[in-house]
Amino acid sequence: MALNTLEQIYQTNIDLFSRANVPYQAWQHEPILDFDTDARIANELGWTASPSKSLFMKIKGGGYCLLLTHRDSRLDSKLVKQVIGKRVSVCSNEEMIAAIACVPGAVCPFALPDEVILLVDPVVYLHQELMYTPGKPDHTFAFETKHLDDLLAMLPNKVIRLPADIPA
C-alpha cells in the first residue's frame, strides 16, 4: 500500500472503520503537534478517550516498526529487541516523513506501508477508549478499545502484541 498523502492516510482510516464495522467518533480542530495543545483541545472538546502514542522506529539491519502505546508510556527497547530479535531506534523526523508521510506529533498507527511491523503495547487494552490522529494533525478519531483487535485483523501489516512481562 503506497500512501503518500495525509488525505490518503485519513481516507484509509475511514475505510478501515467501515470494513471492520467499528463505530468511531471524529473531530476536526486546530492542528495538534505537541502535548500542550493536545491537553488544551482535549479539555475544550471534552474528550474522555485515552490518548495513544505511535512511535515510529527503524530496525537495525533494515525495516521499520511502529509501537502503538498510551501517550504516557515509554519505549522499552530491550523488550522490543527480545520480541523482534533486533535492536530498534527512533527514526529522525525526515526519515519518518519519507517512509510513512506522517508529520511529527501526528503519526497514525493504521494505514502504514505493508512492510511496517505494528507492535501493540498491552497497556492500550487497559483503557475503555483510544484516540489517535488519522494522519491529519487537525483531526482526531476515537473508538472503543474492545474493537482494536477487529481493526488490527484488517491490516496487511504483521502485528505483534508485546507481552506484559518477559522474564529476564
Side-chain angles (χ1 to χ4, degrees):
M1 168 183 4
L3 296 173
N4 52 21
T5 71
L6 296 181
E7 182 61 31
Q8 287 173 307
I9 294 169
Y10 175 79
Q11 288 300 325
T12 298
N13 276 266
I14 291 173
D15 293 345
L16 176 64
F17 282 119
S18 177
R19 287 186 298 120
N21 199 28
V22 170
Y24 68 98
Q25 293 179 285
W27 296 270
Q28 185 171 4
H29 44 71
E30 74 178 87
I32 296 175
L33 296 171
D34 59 58
F35 290 133
D36 291 337
T37 305
D38 186 28
R40 182 176 48 79
I41 291 175
N43 187 48
E44 289 171 6
L45 297 177
W47 288 341
T48 57
S50 296
S52 65
K53 173 169 58 179
S54 296
L55 189 59
F56 192 69
M57 301 172 287
K58 60 182 164 185
I59 301 170
K60 185 174 181 163
Y64 297 101
C65 63
L66 183 140
L67 173 63
L68 174 61
T69 188
H70 185 273
R71 179 189 64 199
D72 297 334
S73 295
R74 298 182 58 103
L75 170 64
D76 183 342
S77 56
K78 289 180 182 178
L79 175 63
V80 171
K81 181 182 178 189
Q82 285 181 291
V83 171
I84 64 174
K86 296 182 180 181
R87 287 188 336 179
V88 296
S89 60
V90 177
C91 281
S92 69
N93 290 343
E94 296 75 21
E95 187 174 4
M96 179 189 68
I97 293 167
I100 62 173
C102 290
V103 296
V107 176
C108 179
F110 307 118
L112 298 166
D114 295 358
E115 64 276 7
V116 175
I117 299 169
L118 181 57
L119 305 170
V120 181
D121 186 338
V123 73
V124 298
Y125 290 96
L126 300 176
H127 303 277
Q128 185 174 341
E129 291 179 296
L130 284 179
M131 62 184 185
Y132 71 98
T133 302
K136 294 180 174 185
D138 60 345
H139 285 73
T140 298
F141 286 170
F143 64 94
E144 290 184 57
T145 309
K146 68 182 181 182
H147 297 297
L148 178 58
D149 288 338
D150 298 330
L151 296 171
L152 296 173
M154 302 295 289
L155 300 177
N157 308 80
K158 180 177 183 178
V159 177
I160 301 172
R161 279 173 88 167
L162 295 179
D165 251 354
I166 286 189

